[in-house]
Amino acid sequence: MDAVIAGIDAIARETMLFAAVGFLIGGLDDLAIDGAFLIRAVRRWWRAVPDATLADFPREGCTGRIAVLVPAWDEAAVIGAMLRTTLARFDHPDWRLYVGAYPNDRATIAAIVAVATGDSRVRLTLTPLPGPTTKADCLNALWRAVVADGQDEGRPFTAMVLHDAEDVVHPGELRVYDHLLRQADTVQVPVLPLADPDSRWVSGHYIDEFAEAHGRQLPVRGALGAELPLAGVGCAISADMLARIAERRGGLPFDETSLTEDYELGLTVRALGGRGVFVAVREVPGGPPVAVRAYFPARLDAAVRQKARWMTGIALAGWDRIGWQPGGGLHDHWMRMRDRRAILAIPVLAVAYLALLAWGLGGMLHGLHGSSSAAIDPALQLVLAINLCLLVWRTAMRWALVRYSYGRGEALRSIPRMLVGNLVALLAARRAMVRYAAGLRGRPVRWDKTAHHFPDIAALPDA
């Protein structure tokens, strides 16, 4: 028994040391982002910089022609409602909606045609190959259709906007893109997941993550002048920049071998010397933001599939595919490391749970055996104390960011939802590793999408 207890004590000690050091590194990394975020906020407050509002982007000043691209595979359940809502909401003088579907997805095609026959602003585009291929392949088919129509009509489109089949678009977002693309090559507006009353925990944990990502991290990236990845929805790219990217890639702007073509597109823009901006615009002073809203996966298996695709595309395959920005600054390398650290943090998280289990088991055995638990080294105690302070700070920051966008109720839920996020991440990492290994063996990349549902627009808070 003594040997067994000694072995468990050793496992507990070594795993806790590994996890503590890993958490310390990650915590200090997050703290640096928080510091930059707070400095930026204080500077804006000190200089009395007002929030941008839609009044700064008047409809009368819009001069561009915008194509909205919506790739769709197996989206018959939502695409009709999404298209009708989009047609009713967008406030811009010159835009068109291009929807991509696959020839073997008759239900989705029928839903698109039902809307397109009643509104000439909707154009159905079929991919050359049956689905599913990749989202990038569908986007390339849409891009070709947009370019061809612009040439045939003698009025080329000046920008292309990306949206998904489940998105609730904001009426003013095209006006924001139109004005800002005169000085930038890409524009990203915030994405705010909708609170799903039937999935407060799984779907709800996306609320917390996007509140941090688009409320804190992307504004800091923009303030530092670092490269800005695109979210794949609520983003616009100038047609000229897409043409440059297509020329660089041999004719097509979206990389059909990528699982996260949107993320890589933002980095490619920077590599070509382009400029991307993330912008938070209010409808009116103190009012709701110009943002994209959507329901995110409500079931654990669906959330795991989605997170696994992100991990595979960004942290694993993305590392192989795009490496590090040649000639990039320290801030660019720092941000890429942050993008990829998710896959590195998973072993730390798993070992931390193992350490908790080992310490608990060891304490129980010591109690049964009548012996004293192993003492914790003073240096490890210091690291654990620092980590506890960092955890409290991290929890407080998340609470504040979620409360700012969603109110007190969701902010309180964000604290226990950290455990849900950990579970999803652990399960997604396993799936991501399997998919990545399959890709290394030559398995074709496929669109691993999740089922969606579209909200009742009239019930939305800012409808």
Side-chain angles (χ1 to χ4, degrees), residues 110-198:
I112 297 169
V113 169
V115 180
T117 53
D119 198 309
S120 61
R121 292 174 295 177
V122 179
R123 300 293 177 90
L124 169 65
T125 298
L126 295 181
T127 60
L129 299 175
T133 54
T134 62
K135 187 176 180 180
D137 177 50
C138 192
L139 285 170
N140 280 330
L142 291 168
W143 177 77
R144 286 190 292 260
V146 171
V147 172
D149 282 357
Q151 292 174 345
D152 293 343
E153 297 165 4
R155 296 176 56 236
F157 288 87
T158 58
M160 299 183 201
V161 173
L162 305 185
H163 272 292
D164 282 345
E166 71 276 16
D167 290 349
V168 179
V169 304
H170 190 282
E173 66 178 89
L174 296 190
R175 288 161 49 187
V176 175
Y177 302 144
D178 192 313
H179 283 264
L180 290 181
L181 284 175
R182 299 168 195 174
Q183 297 87 35
D185 299 287
T186 67
V187 179
Q188 175 74 58
V189 299
V191 177
L192 293 178
L194 290 169
D196 189 342
D198 297 325

Side-chain angles (χ1 to χ4, degrees), residues 175-244:
R175 288 161 49 187
V176 175
Y177 302 144
D178 192 313
H179 283 264
L180 290 181
L181 284 175
R182 299 168 195 174
Q183 297 87 35
D185 299 287
T186 67
V187 179
Q188 175 74 58
V189 299
V191 177
L192 293 178
L194 290 169
D196 189 342
D198 297 325
S199 182
R200 291 292 190 187
W201 305 106
V202 174
S203 181
H205 93 280
Y206 287 94
I207 286 176
D208 314 328
E209 295 187 354
F210 274 88
E212 289 211 58
H214 286 196
R216 176 183 66 110
Q217 295 175 28
L218 285 186
V220 167
R221 291 178 84 136
L224 294 176
E227 54 195 11
L228 283 170
L230 300 178
V233 299
C235 55
I237 310 100
S238 73
D240 289 342
M241 176 54 71
L242 279 174
R244 290 178 59 191

Side-chain angles (χ1 to χ4, degrees), residues 412-448:
L412 291 174
R413 293 187 190 98
S414 72
I415 299 173
R417 277 198 301 241
M418 296 175 78
L419 296 176
V420 178
N422 288 345
L423 175 61
V424 173
L426 287 168
L427 296 176
R430 177 185 175 277
R431 182 180 177 89
M433 293 298 295
V434 171
R435 293 197 66 185
Y436 178 61
L440 293 178
R441 294 195 299 270
R443 181 179 176 180
V445 177
R446 289 289 184 266
W447 192 346
D448 187 17

Side-chain angles (χ1 to χ4, degrees), residues 84-104:
R84 292 186 182 92
T85 300
T86 300
L87 291 168
R89 287 171 76 88
F90 271 154
D91 179 21
H92 188 274
D94 193 359
W95 67 280
R96 186 178 292 166
L97 192 53
Y98 286 80
V99 193
Y102 290 87
N104 59 329

